[in-house]
Amino acid sequence: DSGVTQTPKHLITATGQRVTLRCSPRSGDLSVYWYQQSLDQGLQFLIQYYNGEERAKGNILERFSAQQFPDLHSELNLSSLELGDSALYFCASSVGGSPNTGELFFGEGSRLTVL
Amino acid sequence: AQTVTQSQPEMSVQEAETVTLSCTYDTSENNYYLFWYKQPPSRQMILVIRQEAYKQQNATENRFSVNFQKAAKSFSLKISDSQLGDTAMYFCAFMNLQGAQKLVFGQGTRLTINP
């Protein structure tokens, strides 16, 4: 158990809809990262938050947004969903904004299926 | 931009054999980390081993060891005395220590250990 909790584990929705994925980092970790894992694109970095502030942005679509709350949990909002958004969405956490040990701790992921 | 390439989409060996997974990367940076992550059917990403680029000595974790060739930008993973529980997807990953410290993943190698 990595200590990172993601909900929901599975989600099925229709095109055009909006969903919210939630992540609770390990106790004491200030940074949260979101990754998307799809069959054709592999594991792609979406965005990083550190202590409530956006730290880095990757290949995140404009239809997607994220935030980190004062209690350090994070939410990834996906809107106007398309079939191609079907993927496994991972959250990971690390202690600081700059993971000195390089290690990220991953949750079990949220499997999103868009029909 | 950094890229990570895993040239072996799938590999299969017998239990107790030794197997080597290949990984090459491309970067112009000098300070970085390299990782191997394991993703079993449970889908959680688990850190197997980490290598700091400034260290010449290859990292070792029990049955897992790496062959890090910095000049050749090569980072292979050797699994000795393979076990059925080693069956998983293995991802090579790169993290630059400058700028946005995000993990860049390879496409993965599906490893099957046969009884």
Side-chain angles (χ1 to χ4, degrees), chain B residues 52-63:
Chain B
E52 292 91 337
Y54 68 88
K55 289 187 177 179
Q56 292 186 338
Q57 185 173 6
N58 290 324
T60 298
E61 290 287 343
N62 300 314
R63 297 182 296 107

Side-chain angles (χ1 to χ4, degrees), chain B residues 2 4 10 16-17 22 25 47-48 63 73 107 109 111:
Chain B
Q2 292 84 17
V4 178
E10 293 187 28
E17 290 184 346
S22 301
Y25 59 95
L47 179 65
V48 174
R63 297 182 296 107
K73 297 179 182 175
Q107 289 297 97
T109 296
L111 176 65

Side-chain angles (χ1 to χ4, degrees), chain B:
Chain B
Q2 292 84 17
T3 58
V4 178
T5 302
Q6 294 178 249
S7 59
Q8 305 149 312
E10 293 187 28
M11 295 188 73
S12 178
V13 298
Q14 296 299 118
E15 193 176 6
E17 290 184 346
T18 294
V19 59
T20 299
L21 309 183
S22 301
C23 173
T24 58
Y25 59 95
D26 185 26
T27 183
S28 57
E29 302 296 333
N30 198 43
N31 295 317
Y32 51 87
Y33 288 130
L34 293 163
F35 307 85
W36 281 97
Y37 275 88
K38 169 184 177 181
Q39 187 178 35
S42 67
R43 80 190 188 193
Q44 185 161 7
M45 299 291 287
I46 302 167
L47 179 65
V48 174
I49 200 164
R50 171 181 60 237
Q51 175 80 43
E52 292 91 337
Y54 68 88
K55 289 187 177 179
Q56 292 186 338
Q57 185 173 6
N58 290 324
T60 298
E61 290 287 343
N62 300 314
R63 297 182 296 107
F64 299 88
S65 62
V66 298
N67 182 4
F68 173 47
Q69 301 291 327
K70 191 172 183 179
K73 297 179 182 175
S74 170
F75 183 62
S76 62
L77 173 70
K78 185 172 80 172
I79 306 174
S80 303
D81 186 26
S82 58
Q83 301 174 359
L84 297 179
D86 296 332
T87 293
M89 280 289 288
Y90 286 81
F91 291 94
C92 179
F94 171 100
M95 178 184 284
N96 189 12
L97 294 182
Q98 303 296 324
Q101 294 177 339
K102 59 183 183 181
L103 275 174
V104 177
F105 287 91
Q107 289 297 97
T109 296
R110 184 175 301 280
L111 176 65
T112 301
I113 309 299
N114 299 306

